[in-house]
């Protein structure tokens, strides 16, 4: 009997982790980086390679099959509304935990100073990106949605929202002009979509190997040839990391669990096993954009979501609904303030909710983006942005968990919108 895909991926993930630890232990970090990690990069590149054509072809095919524009605007309103609400809830969970458990006040001041010194150079490297983020006006995220050139937008997975925007326009145009010629265009794009979905299947055949290589590469990249580095970091930042992970778990289990249990026809078991491959790929790639093709496959094939819903809700979610990132930003901002001894009153906490909401929407669905956007939150509450040096050491690990949360959130809302669209159709 053939092992289910998520079990194959879990074996790759556990195997890669063990191999990474073994390699760091035996001073094989160089060998692992040269000969194993590239297979992980190839796997991620393959997923990224098809992300843009997949978003374009499924969105256009999905919209062209809608009854009319009113269905699109109804779906759009619901999607954006629930994305914003779940993100605000995520930040609140993070804030309650970090304020109650106070991980920052437990850190000895000398460890704080040590961490800041050790990671200052990494912060300096990110200074240019931080400066760009700092100079953005309040409406810049809105301006960023509209590209000036579609080829330019399609050339980077960071500009996924621009591709979504163009695809929406194209799909609406195709729905409004119904001639023989446009029917050919629609058939062509629908055929292209079928081919791309087949390519996703083909890429997933090598997922266990790709994920093995990604995990081994990540561990040896963080630890180098000294496993003690990871242990020392976990000692200093273990409690902070635990608070972030606890918040993410609570959000997944209670908020997403509640939505699935009470607003969709699926059982929790069916939902979580259905999306397990997407969660595992998100965990090992730390990129919601690279995971998008897998998310499509999971919700459509395992949970029966209609293409017109998934093609609309998933790519928008990957770019604006980063609940895990938002929760993490809330915890990180308060943690840094606690370590630096800066008191935060209720207004400051409220500011964190608003700015982390915006910062997560603005964060690109790629590794490490949430950390850069954290600067917006820190600036808004008067905490020096150099404080990110404190948490940089464990960022890669937390990125994995928050990306898996982000992807779970996108899949939850997709299944929710699908269920409510089906109910609306039945009662019509
Ligand atoms: N890596 C995250 C994602 O792609 C973004 C972040 O929080 O850094 O979803």
């Amino acid at each position: 009997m053939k092992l289910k895909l998520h079990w194959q991926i879990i074996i790759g993930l556990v195997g890669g982790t063990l191999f990474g630890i073994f390699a760091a232990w035996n001073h094989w970090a160089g060998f692992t980086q040269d000969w194993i990690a590239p297979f992980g990069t190839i796997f991620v590149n393959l997923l990224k390679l098809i992300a843009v054509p997949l978003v374009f072809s499924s969105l256009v095919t999905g919209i062209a099959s809608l009854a009319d524009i009113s269905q699109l605007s109804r779906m759009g309103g619901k999607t954006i509304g629930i994305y914003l609400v779940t993100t605000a809830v995520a930040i609140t969970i993070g804030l309650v935990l970090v304020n109650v458990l106070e991980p920052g006040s437990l850190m000895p001041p000398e460890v704080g100073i040590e961490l800041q010194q050790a990671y200052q150079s990494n912060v300096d490297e990110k200074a240019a990106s931080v400066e760009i983020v700092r100079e953005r006006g309040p409406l810049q995220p809105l301006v960023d949605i509209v590209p000036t050139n579609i080829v330019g937008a399609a050339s980077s997975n960071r500009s996924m929202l621009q591709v979504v925007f163009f695809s929406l326009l194209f799909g609406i145009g195709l729905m409004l002009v119904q001639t023989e010629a446009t029917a050919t265009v629609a058939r062509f794009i629908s055929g292209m979509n079928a081919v791309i979905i087949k390519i996703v299947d083909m890429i997933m055949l090598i997922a266990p190997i790709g994920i093995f290589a990604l995990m081994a590469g990540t561990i040896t990249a963080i630890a180098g040839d000294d496993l003690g580095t990871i242990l020392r970091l976990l000692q200093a930042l273990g409690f902070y990391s635990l608070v972030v992970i606890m918040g993410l778990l609570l959000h997944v289990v209670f908020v997403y669990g509640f939505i699935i249990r009470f607003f969709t026809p699926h059982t929790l078991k069916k939902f979580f096993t259905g999306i397990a491959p997407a969660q595992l790929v998100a965990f090992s790639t730390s990129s919601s954009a690279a995971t998008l093709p897998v998310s499509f496959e999971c919700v459509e094939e395992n949970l029966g979501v209609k293409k017109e819903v998934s093609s609309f809700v998933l790519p928008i979610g990957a770019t604006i609904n980063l609940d895990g990132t938002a929760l993490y930003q809330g915890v990180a901002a308060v943690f840094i303030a606690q370590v630096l001894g800066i008191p935060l009153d209720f207004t400051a906490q409220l500011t964190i909710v608003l700015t982390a909401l915006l910062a997560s929407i603005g964060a690109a669905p790629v590794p490490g983006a949430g950390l850069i956007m954290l600067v917006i939150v820190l600036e808004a509450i008067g905490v020096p942005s150099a404080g990110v040096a404190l948490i940089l050491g464990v960022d890669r690990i937390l990125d994995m968990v928050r990306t898996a949360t982000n992807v779970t959130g996108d899949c939850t809302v997709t299944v929710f919108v699908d269920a409510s669209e089906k109910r609306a159709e039945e009662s019509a």
Side-chain angles (χ1 to χ4, degrees):
M1 196 187 80
K2 199 164 172 280
L3 217 52
K4 282 221 167 83
L5 179 65
H6 63 266
W7 283 117
Q8 293 180 27
I9 299 180
I10 289 175
I11 293 172
L13 194 131
V14 175
T17 308
L18 294 179
F19 182 88
I21 295 173
F22 185 72
W25 192 270
N26 282 293
H27 307 286
W28 288 358
F31 168 81
T32 311
Q33 289 300 321
D34 287 348
W35 294 98
I36 310 268
F39 293 101
T41 312
I42 292 174
F43 173 63
V44 178
N45 286 358
L46 281 168
L47 288 174
K48 288 184 185 163
L49 172 69
I50 50 158
V52 168
L54 179 65
V55 167
F56 175 74
S57 62
S58 22
L59 204 46
V60 172
T61 313
I63 291 177
S65 67
L66 285 179
D68 50 37
I69 296 204
S70 70
Q71 193 184 349
L72 182 66
S73 53
R74 189 182 62 217
M75 220 157 70
K78 235 184 297 191
T79 305
I80 308 277
I82 183 148
Y83 275 155
L84 293 180
V85 173
T86 48
T87 309
V89 172
I91 306 169
T92 314
I93 293 178
L95 284 184
V96 170
L97 282 183
V98 72
N99 281 297
V100 172
L101 300 175
E102 291 196 56
S105 56
L106 286 184
M107 177 180 273
E110 63 283 1
V111 178
I113 294 169
E114 240 172 66
L115 280 172
Q116 265 187 305
Q117 281 165 351
Y119 287 95
Q120 193 50 51
S121 58
N122 301 48
V123 175
D124 293 342
E125 270 170 35
K126 295 185 193 294
S129 331
V130 166
E131 207 40 56
I132 295 171
V133 167
R134 202 180 271 152
E135 281 167 7
R136 287 159 62 95
L139 288 185
Q140 194 57 38
L142 214 56
V143 177
D144 284 347
I145 298 176
V146 187
T148 51
N149 184 306
I150 185 56
V151 181
S155 70
S156 156
N157 285 330
R158 282 177 174 266
S159 320
M160 196 73 85
L161 209 49
Q162 300 189 338
V163 177
V164 169
F165 181 79
F166 176 74
S167 313
L168 275 175
L169 281 185
F170 197 96
I172 293 172
L174 202 56
M175 179 165 78
L176 295 178
V177 189
Q178 307 235 349
T179 65
E180 214 177 294
T182 55
T184 310
V185 175
R187 264 204 310 280
F188 170 75
I189 297 176
S190 151
M192 183 174 137
N193 188 239
V195 172
I196 290 170
I197 290 172
K198 192 73 220 159
I199 299 179
V200 180
D201 281 341
M202 285 163 16
I203 297 173
M204 288 315 280
L205 290 177
I206 60 153
I209 300 171
I211 286 176
F212 177 99
L214 278 171
M215 291 308 294
T218 307
I219 291 183
T220 45
I222 303 175
D225 274 332
D226 178 14
L227 259 189
T229 319
I230 292 192
L231 295 180
R232 273 191 299 279
L233 273 174
L234 285 184
Q235 215 172 11
L237 294 167
F239 192 36
Y240 153 73
S241 309
L242 206 69
V243 174
V244 174
I245 294 172
M246 223 158 82
L248 295 173
L249 279 178
L250 286 176
H251 188 63
V252 169
V253 173
F254 289 104
V255 180
Y256 300 152
F258 177 80
I259 295 176
I260 295 297
R261 175 76 183 73
F262 293 104
F263 296 97
T264 78
H266 303 293
T267 59
L268 292 180
K269 182 164 178 259
K270 183 170 180 218
F271 174 75
F272 282 108
T273 25
I275 65 156
Q279 289 178 312
L280 293 165
V281 170
F283 182 80
S284 38
T285 59
S286 289
S287 165
S288 306
T291 311
L292 199 52
V294 190
S295 311
F296 268 109
E297 189 162 90
C298 287
V299 296
E300 286 174 15
E301 283 177 19
N302 304 345
L303 299 169
V305 171
K306 283 177 143 193
K307 181 178 265 325
E308 65 231 45
V309 174
S310 57
S311 62
F312 179 75
V313 185
L314 273 183
I316 294 184
T319 39
I320 69 163
N321 182 51
L322 288 82
D323 290 2
T325 302
L327 186 149
Y328 146 87
Q329 285 171 334
V331 176
V334 177
F335 172 77
I336 295 171
Q338 286 170 352
V339 176
L340 301 180
I342 302 170
L344 298 175
D345 57 10
F346 185 70
T347 325
Q349 307 268 353
L350 216 57
T351 311
I352 295 179
V353 178
L354 284 178
T355 47
L357 186 72
L358 291 175
S360 69
I361 292 175
V366 298
L371 182 85
I372 306 276
M373 297 302 278
L374 175 63
V375 172
I376 295 187
V377 184
L378 293 177
E379 297 257 308
I381 53 169
V383 172
S385 48
V388 291
L390 281 169
I391 54 161
L392 218 115
V394 285
D395 190 65
R396 186 68 182 80
I397 301 170
L398 295 182
D399 199 0
M400 299 164 91
V401 194
R402 63 183 192 246
T403 308
T405 310
N406 292 343
V407 168
T408 309
D410 302 339
C411 293
T412 304
V413 177
T414 307
V415 172
F416 168 85
V417 174
D418 182 61
S420 87
E421 283 300 305
K422 282 178 183 155
R423 272 197 303 272
E425 263 168 38
E426 274 162 24
S427 61

